[in-house]
Amino acid sequence: MRRLRAIILLGISVVAVAMLCLGCGSGAGDSKTLKVGASAVPHAEILEAAKPLLEQQGIKLEIVEFNDYVQPNLALNSKELDANFFQHKPYLDNFVAEHSDMQLKAVGGVHIAPMGVYSKKVQNLQELAAGAKIALPNDPTNGGRALLLLEKAGLIKLNPSAGLKATVHDVVENPKNLQFEEMEAAQVPRSLDDVAAAVINTDYALRVGLVPSQEALTLEDSTSPYVNIVAVRAGDEDRPEIKALVKALHSDEVKQFILDKYKGAIVPAFTEE
């Protein structure tokens, strides 16, 4: 009798523990919750537009906002996030190359945020004085991207072999003797009062109230290779929740949101699925 009672109690305990585990928290990796890191503008806003589509499938989207271009990848690699959405593929490729312990993959392009040149001092880039100071992002991919935009505007010429990874050391012609001030991308908009012009990523431009389509002296066009992507840890590409996230971001509803909200400052880079 005692043995039977012990077996019954043991069975109850096992069931209780199992139920407790089923009620545990829903952090990164939970089958019904996606934790996605993003820049506040426009990435987090675009994710908010995708939320209702995921909720219809029983998936809760938790958005974690970041103010820099380093922490979202570190957090993804350490499994604090299921995915992130803040960067273009050239940046991701360079980041992974510099961090040999990371295995992060792009799983879908969403939009292009054209980088632009802004100024409070001149109305036209040809008005820049000799020796004028130009602020640039200091990370390898966005720095090269900024220099390529200045080259396209006719202000400088770069060594053709530098490609997307051009640095200020690859400037081979600089008729105006422009002086380049390199700083973190998030700090570039704050430099506008102190420099003649600044090359600013669109997410940071929008964050300080700049309107790229109206205020940029020049913008990247649709030939830009810098499509913003969703990134995940290698091996997670086929998770149903990740696929659902990408499908939601590629939906007609999200495309229309981007067109209506950003009016050309952000350009969809996908076709509806």
Side-chain angles (χ1 to χ4, degrees):
M1 190 69 176
R2 288 181 181 177
R3 185 177 179 183
L4 178 60
R5 185 179 299 173
I7 291 173
I8 293 172
L9 290 174
L10 179 59
I12 293 173
S13 298
V14 169
V15 171
V17 170
M19 293 181 67
L20 181 61
C21 289
L22 287 173
C24 288
S26 54
D30 186 278
S31 62
K32 291 297 182 181
T33 298
L34 276 179
K35 197 170 184 180
V36 181
S39 297
V41 179
H43 304 81
E45 294 175 342
I46 294 172
L47 286 169
E48 286 287 351
K51 258 188 179 181
L53 300 175
L54 291 169
E55 287 175 356
Q56 292 171 11
Q57 301 175 63
I59 299 171
K60 178 183 177 183
L61 179 61
E62 182 178 343
I63 303 167
V64 182
E65 293 186 11
F66 290 86
N67 294 315
D68 72 289
Y69 288 164
V70 175
Q71 295 305 314
N73 279 336
L74 297 179
L76 177 58
N77 187 63
S78 63
K79 299 185 178 181
E80 298 171 50
L81 302 171
D82 292 292
N84 67 38
F85 175 42
F86 77 98
Q87 64 196 322
H88 48 65
K89 194 170 186 300
Y91 180 87
L92 174 64
D93 290 344
N94 186 77
F95 195 94
V96 170
E98 292 183 346
H99 297 77
S100 58
D101 61 322
M102 291 191 178
Q103 295 293 321
L104 307 182
K105 301 287 185 179
V107 291
V110 179
H111 71 271
I112 297 171
M115 180 177 271
V117 183
Y118 301 81
S119 176
K120 291 184 177 181
K121 308 290 195 308
V122 299
Q123 298 297 313
N124 187 298
L125 289 177
Q126 302 312 313
E127 298 173 11
L128 290 169
K133 291 182 179 179
I134 311 294
L136 308 173
N138 65 0
D139 60 274
T141 51
N142 284 305
R145 182 182 182 184
L147 290 167
L148 287 167
L149 182 58
L150 294 176
E151 181 180 51
K152 192 167 186 177
L155 294 174
I156 60 173
K157 284 191 177 180
L158 298 166
N159 185 330
S161 65
L164 298 180
K165 295 186 178 181
T167 73
V168 294
H169 302 295
D170 294 305
V171 177
V172 293
E173 290 185 31
N174 185 2
K176 289 180 177 286
N177 192 32
L178 300 174
Q179 305 299 305
F180 303 111
E181 302 255 340
E182 298 177 279
M183 60 192 73
E184 290 185 13
Q187 302 303 318
V188 176
R190 301 178 189 178
S191 72
L192 276 171
D193 290 329
D194 304 314
V195 298
V199 190
I200 305 175
N201 292 78
T202 291
D203 52 345
Y204 290 126
L206 294 174
R207 198 174 300 184
V208 297
L210 294 169
V211 182
S213 59
Q214 298 176 20
E215 298 179 75
L217 302 183
T218 186
L219 276 174
E220 289 175 323
D221 58 26
S222 59
T223 63
S224 171
Y226 297 96
V227 175
N228 282 233
I229 50 92
V230 175
V232 299
R233 290 181 298 278
D236 283 356
E237 301 97 320
D238 292 328
R239 280 181 57 192
E241 297 79 25
I242 296 297
K243 287 188 171 182
L245 171 65
V246 174
K247 186 173 182 179
L249 288 170
H250 286 182
S251 67
D252 185 57
E253 292 89 337
V254 168
K255 181 178 181 179
Q256 196 60 50
F257 170 81
I258 292 173
L259 294 173
D260 293 343
K261 174 76 174 178
Y262 304 110
K263 304 184 187 306
I266 302 294
V267 181
F270 60 87
T271 55
E272 299 94 315
E273 295 183 357

